[in-house]
Every structure is written in C-alpha cells, then in structure tokens.
Amino acid sequence: MARYDNYTNKEMQAVTIARQIKDGQIAIVGTGLPLIGASLAKAVYAPHCYLIVESGLMDCDPIEVPRSVGDNRFMAHCGVHWTNATYVGFQANEWRHDKKRMIAFIGGAQIDPYGNVNSTVIGDYHHPKTRFTGSGGANGIATYVNTIIMMQHEKRRFIEKVDYITSPGWIDGPGGRTRVGIPENVGPQMVVTDKGILKFDEDTKRMYLAGYYPSSSPEDVIENTGFDIDVSRAVELEAPDENVIRLIREEIDPGEAFIKKPVEE
C-alpha cells in the first residue's frame, strides 16, 4: 500500500505555495513547482482562484501537468488565449487601479536581502561565469505585481548583493522602488524555499525567516543563507495532510514531471 506520510521537502514547498493562494485571486504561474502548487490550491485551498500564464492563456485548469507555458495542455482548458501585449496590459491595469487580487510566482539563481532576483548572469555581465535565459516576463511581473519568489535555499543563492538585478524587489529598502521609478505599492511578499517561508519586514523591507518546515530549523536556515537573517519571529509550519500529498502524487503530477516520489523501502 502506498504511503503518503513520507512527504519530501519539494512536496512541502509545493503545499506551502498552495497555501498562499486565496480564493478569488489571479495567480500568474509558470511550470514546475509553482504550477504544482497552484493546481493544488485550485483543488484544495482556493477553488475559485484563477490561473494565468505569460503566454496569454487565462483562467487555466489543466487536467495534466503542462511542460511549458505554451503547452497544449494549458490551451485545452483555459478561458481565453490573449496576445502577450494584452496579457502585459492586464498586469499594468491591475496595478493602475490598485487591485490586490493578483499574485505572481517567479524564480531565479540569486536573491539578496531585499528580494532582488538575478536570473541573467553570474559574474560580470560582459564576461560572465554563467549566463542564464534571463527575464522572460519576470521583470514586468516584478514591476507591476505582488510576487512570491521560489528558490532552493543555498548560501550561494542567498547572497548580500546579486550580480545582476533581473527582477526588482525592494531595491535597497524603504523608498527604493520609488527612487528607481517603479511602483512602490507592489513588490515581493515572500520567498518560499525548500526550508521554509521568508517574508520582508514592513519597515526595513529586509528579509526575515517567518516559518520553517518540520524537516528544517532556524539554525539550518542561518547556515544556508549568505547574509545575516533575523529568525526570532520564525514558527514551525504545519505538516501537510496525507490526502494532499496523495493528490500531488496520484492526480496532479503522477508522471513525476516536476516532483519525484520518495523511494519506499
């Protein structure tokens, strides 16, 4: 008989994503863990949320896990297919009318204490050690939409200063976004990692540990963060229900496209 009490950190990360999406919200998702989490939210936590992707597909409800934002599995079960320009305009319009119903998920290779994300280059921009695919739609999303950032929690990723700002966070603290000419009333809300949730202090805009997984600890987070981080407010997060893990493994991602099942002994 299959076990569902042996959840992995990636499954816990997907569940944590799902718990952040509220009923009635519009969630901009890509593929991978954000899609697993958003699909789980729609199935369990927020049945009336709306999933959209940057290719212009709106109100998606895929019955199989898509492999990209242009996958037919997205297209077959969506409300409408907009042009990219219309999709970007929709983001800007939500911001212009100060709507709070949109949340977006982005990721990257590096992040700093203020939520600035690098998905462009490691090292000097003109003579890089590593060059990545870059922004895609993430810069526009981070400019106009409240974001939840997905990262694996490693010291080489959580650093004091990113090599390149692909997607703006709170820049350098209070008023930072205004100083560089982007909206101040939106920005990064939290970082969801394979160790817990990190949020941003309302006054300083600096990252702090808000919650850690039962498999982690504040000490584990400190050890894997490349800058000083406040853990005094951290609480242990609730472990996922076994039925939620069953949904991930048997219905949402049965082919293990993005989350591998643990090997049962």
Side-chain angles (χ1 to χ4, degrees):
M1 180 180 291
R3 290 179 56 195
Y4 301 109
D5 61 341
N6 57 342
Y7 64 90
T8 66
N9 280 358
K10 276 201 171 183
E11 287 172 330
M12 183 69 191
Q13 197 173 1
V15 172
T16 304
I17 292 167
R19 288 170 173 168
Q20 310 315 311
I21 300 174
K22 311 304 180 190
D23 242 1
Q25 273 192 319
I26 300 167
I28 303 174
V29 299
T31 52
L33 281 178
L35 177 58
I36 301 295
S39 298
L40 184 62
K42 202 164 179 66
V44 177
Y45 303 106
H48 301 107
C49 69
Y50 305 93
L51 312 184
I52 68 176
V53 294
E54 63 184 278
S55 56
L57 302 173
M58 315 300 287
D59 195 12
C60 304
D61 190 16
I63 58 173
E64 251 184 75
V65 177
R67 297 329 193 244
S68 74
V69 295
D71 194 316
N72 283 339
R73 283 166 284 204
F74 262 137
M75 294 182 185
H77 296 273
C78 70
V80 65
H81 187 183
W82 278 353
T83 64
N84 287 109
T86 306
Y87 157 82
V88 172
F90 182 52
Q91 287 179 24
N93 194 57
E94 288 285 299
W95 163 73
R96 185 170 178 269
H97 291 283
D98 200 22
K99 301 285 188 181
K100 301 298 183 186
R101 62 179 178 169
M102 187 177 284
I103 194 77
F105 295 88
I106 64 172
Q110 294 177 331
I111 189 168
D112 71 14
Y114 298 103
N116 300 302
V117 173
N118 173 21
S119 58
T120 300
V121 65
I122 301 296
D124 179 74
Y125 181 83
H126 297 288
H127 302 92
K129 295 177 183 176
T130 307
R131 189 174 292 281
F132 301 109
T133 53
S135 171
N139 178 276
I141 289 170
T143 297
Y144 288 111
V145 182
N146 284 327
T147 55
I148 294 175
I149 302 162
M150 300 294 307
M151 298 282 285
Q152 298 307 297
H153 209 131
E154 302 171 352
K155 188 171 284 190
R156 66 191 178 102
R157 295 178 181 274
F158 283 73
I159 63 175
E160 191 66 47
K161 183 177 174 59
V162 296
D163 292 341
Y164 185 93
I165 297 180
T166 308
S167 304
W170 297 112
I171 308 300
D172 56 1
R177 289 173 69 91
T178 297
R179 285 191 291 275
V180 298
I182 60 176
E184 188 81 36
N185 64 332
V186 293
Q189 303 300 297
M190 67 181 68
V191 186
V192 178
T193 80
D194 54 337
K195 298 187 183 298
I197 295 176
L198 303 105
K199 295 184 178 181
F200 298 90
D201 185 84
E202 189 173 332
D203 295 324
T204 67
K205 300 300 185 184
R206 189 177 173 95
M207 191 186 299
Y208 69 91
L209 180 65
Y212 56 92
Y213 301 154
S215 58
S216 185
S217 67
E219 294 73 24
D220 187 20
V221 170
I222 290 171
E223 185 179 343
N224 287 279
T225 303
F227 49 80
D228 290 338
I229 187 161
D230 175 19
V231 299
S232 64
R233 291 173 268 186
V235 297
E236 184 174 313
L237 300 173
E238 183 182 353
D241 185 83
E242 289 185 29
N243 185 55
V244 168
I245 300 302
R246 184 196 64 78
L247 276 172
I248 293 173
R249 295 179 187 176
E250 307 301 333
E251 297 184 27
I252 295 173
D253 190 18
E256 302 179 63
F258 299 111
I259 300 181
K260 301 298 180 186
K261 299 174 188 175
V263 177
E264 296 187 15
E265 298 179 357

